[in-house]
Amino acid sequence: MELTQPTQAIHADDDLNTTSDVAPPLHVSTTFRYADDPKELVPVANADISTTEAHVYSRHTAPTSTRLETILAPLLKAPCLTYASGLAALHAAYVYLNPPRVSIGGGYHGTHGVLQIQQKLCGTRMLPLHCPASDLQPGDVIHLETPLNPTGEAYNIAEYADKAHSRGAILLVDSTFGPPGLQDPFEWGADMVMHSGTKYLGGHSDMLCGVLATKESKWLAGLRDDRMFLGSVMGNMESWLGLRSLRTLDLRVKRQSENASRLVQWLHSCKHSDTRGKETELVKTVVEKIQHASLQHEDMPWLERQMPHGFGPVFAIWAREERMARELPSLLTLFHHATSLGGVESLIEWRSMSDRTVDSRILRVSVGVEDWEDLKADLIKGFQDLLMKQEA
């Protein structure tokens, strides 16, 4: 029987459930006993650590992180490895691939920080994301973040896969904003997929995690060997929190994405409405622009195939003035003013607080699982209080 992703999230690790516990136990040991029978001992010089099933030392494997990877693999549609954070995973990918050139656009500022280190150590050259295919050579990487941080806009994965593969280059997709249940980059030609599992895979704002997935067995073995010496493994507690989180992943991300699309459509309709009304006037006075994949109407022929179950839970608001972007978050009740995203609670961030490269009027909104009507009411009250404060 072939199980669907929501069922895999609960049962993919059943074979590793060796106790009578229904909830997964937390293993905290960092080291594990060798076999009692001397005849079963295999010196490390003769062992293939990439296929060894028994745990030896947690910088290689551990029961809880192995169980997490076992669930992630069918959700991501490829074997995978977990890391201490999203940027640790990204760093590991570039250490292993060591590309001469990386074609990349905007997106998460932390990614560009990792690539600056790669430039310093290896002389890696940066190319624009939209560079001609002829600028790429074998071994280069196209780094595609979709949907994009902080705006939530989406890019056509198949288009960039064709471009990369036509030149022998590699397509690495950061699918953090398009978690399992919303997007499968491998279906559209990705060679490697990265997630900051801190966000939607974790989903409760209480764990750091990074994930790399690839169908290339040689790459996976090399990444696993590198991880041993980079030392960027997940901790036991974080791995256990990840197990808890994945059980509800499908429920969470589809609800969050639906909520975001409803809020975006409401804001967009108010922004472009010819009818005068309290809500419409409030939105028009505060909001300059909204950006989200659901508003990419001209791209729907490919976008609805790439993201058939929702366009992601993050969108961006451009306030009309920097002052409005700075002050609005503190006037909201249900949206926490905080960085990061992906948790069950809604967040809003004046993005200038953590990213020095963005327009100072941008607010990034990460939508949670609350009732969207309550979130809408909170925004209306916030807009109203903002304008009253301005008039005072």
Side-chain angles (χ1 to χ4, degrees), residues 77-97:
K77 306 293 183 67
C80 66
L81 293 171
T82 52
Y83 293 84
S85 70
L87 290 184
L90 190 66
H91 175 62
Y94 281 110
V95 166
Y96 178 75
L97 295 173

Side-chain angles (χ1 to χ4, degrees), residues 150-152 289-292 314-318 362-365:
T151 62
K289 182 173 69 171
I290 311 106
Q291 196 159 7
H292 185 241
V314 173
F315 65 92
I317 294 173
W318 272 256
I362 290 181
L363 292 158
R364 186 181 68 183
V365 184

Side-chain angles (χ1 to χ4, degrees), residues 42-49:
V42 180
V44 67
N46 303 330
D48 181 357
I49 64 170

Side-chain angles (χ1 to χ4, degrees), residues 354-371:
S354 60
D355 186 347
R356 67 186 66 184
T357 68
V358 299
D359 189 311
S360 62
R361 297 172 299 150
I362 290 181
L363 292 158
R364 186 181 68 183
V365 184
S366 169
V367 183
V369 300
E370 303 96 336
D371 188 294

Side-chain angles (χ1 to χ4, degrees), residues 14 22 32 40 44 64 96 102 150 168 173 181 197 201 205 232 234 255 270 286 323 336 339 350 375 391:
D14 281 355
V22 173
F32 305 89
E40 296 179 9
V44 67
T64 311
Y96 178 75
V102 176
V173 175
L201 302 182
S205 305
S232 50
M234 281 189 75
R255 168 70 175 242
C270 287
V286 175
R323 179 191 60 79
H336 298 285
T339 195
W350 180 37
L375 297 175
E391 293 170 0

Side-chain angles (χ1 to χ4, degrees), residues 134 141 193 252 275 301 307 335:
S134 58
V141 167
V193 176
R252 288 186 284 104
T275 304
M307 302 187 77
F335 291 85

Side-chain angles (χ1 to χ4, degrees), residues 84-385:
S85 70
L87 290 184
L90 190 66
H91 175 62
Y94 281 110
V95 166
Y96 178 75
L97 295 173
N98 194 19
R101 285 161 292 276
V102 176
S103 171
I104 186 170
Y108 179 44
H109 62 92
T111 295
H112 293 273
V114 168
L115 288 172
Q116 286 172 7
I117 295 173
Q118 191 75 7
Q119 284 181 292
K120 181 171 62 176
L121 295 177
C122 306
T124 309
R125 289 179 52 206
M126 298 298 117
L127 299 173
L129 180 62
H130 303 300
C131 69
S134 58
D135 288 356
L136 298 170
Q137 299 177 23
D140 290 346
V141 167
I142 293 180
H143 183 109
L144 184 66
E145 185 179 314
T146 185
L148 190 69
N149 187 0
T151 62
E153 62 186 298
Y155 289 92
N156 189 335
I157 296 172
E159 177 183 313
Y160 287 92
D162 291 343
K163 177 181 175 180
H165 299 156
S166 73
R167 302 292 294 173
I170 296 162
L171 178 62
L172 190 162
V173 175
D174 181 344
S175 193
T176 297
F177 280 37
L182 299 183
Q183 178 171 273
D184 174 17
F186 288 115
E187 182 179 357
W188 308 104
D191 300 299
M192 183 180 290
V193 176
M194 173 261 176
H195 283 269
S196 174
T198 305
K199 313 305 191 294
Y200 293 100
L201 302 182
H204 293 78
S205 305
D206 60 6
M207 56 171 275
L208 292 176
C209 169
V211 182
L212 291 178
T214 180
K215 296 182 179 180
E216 295 288 340
S217 57
K218 180 181 176 182
W219 291 6
L220 193 75
L223 288 165
R224 182 182 289 109
D225 289 345
D226 285 355
R227 188 179 65 174
M228 273 279 289
F229 301 108
L230 291 172
S232 50
V233 294
M234 281 189 75
N236 293 316
M237 183 65 184
E238 289 76 15
S239 298
W240 182 84
L241 289 169
L243 286 172
R244 168 219 57 186
S245 298
L246 289 182
R247 309 306 195 192
T248 60
L249 175 66
D250 192 75
L251 296 171
R252 288 186 284 104
V253 299
K254 289 180 180 176
R255 168 70 175 242
Q256 289 169 289
S257 185
E258 180 183 8
N259 279 350
S261 290
R262 287 182 169 181
L263 288 171
V264 166
Q265 293 306 317
W266 164 66
L267 289 167
H268 182 72
S269 63
C270 287
K271 181 70 182 163
H272 297 279
S273 175
D274 294 328
T275 304
R276 296 180 63 87
K278 179 181 177 182
E279 289 183 14
T280 299
E281 293 305 310
L282 283 171
V283 172
K284 286 183 176 181
T285 304
V286 175
V287 176
E288 175 71 27
K289 182 173 69 171
I290 311 106
Q291 196 159 7
H292 185 241
S294 66
L295 298 178
Q296 296 175 222
H297 303 301
E298 70 282 0
D299 295 324
M300 284 302 158
W302 61 262
L303 185 50
E304 286 182 330
R305 296 195 304 272
Q306 184 173 298
M307 302 187 77
H309 303 300
F311 300 110
V314 173
F315 65 92
I317 294 173
W318 272 256
R320 287 195 174 275
E321 303 172 13
E322 177 185 319
R323 179 191 60 79
M324 291 179 170
R326 177 194 288 265
E327 294 181 4
L328 177 63
S330 63
L331 299 173
L332 300 175
T333 302
L334 300 181
F335 291 85
H336 298 285
H337 188 199
T339 195
S340 197
L341 54 110
V344 293
E345 61 286 306
S346 292
L347 305 178
I348 188 168
E349 181 188 24
W350 180 37
R351 192 61 181 152
S352 293
M353 290 297 294
S354 60
D355 186 347
R356 67 186 66 184
T357 68
V358 299
D359 189 311
S360 62
R361 297 172 299 150
I362 290 181
L363 292 158
R364 186 181 68 183
V365 184
S366 169
V367 183
V369 300
E370 303 96 336
D371 188 294
W372 86 276
E373 292 278 8
D374 293 333
L375 297 175
K376 172 185 169 182
D378 195 30
L379 287 173
I380 291 172
K381 186 177 185 304
F383 293 159
Q384 187 173 15
D385 291 347

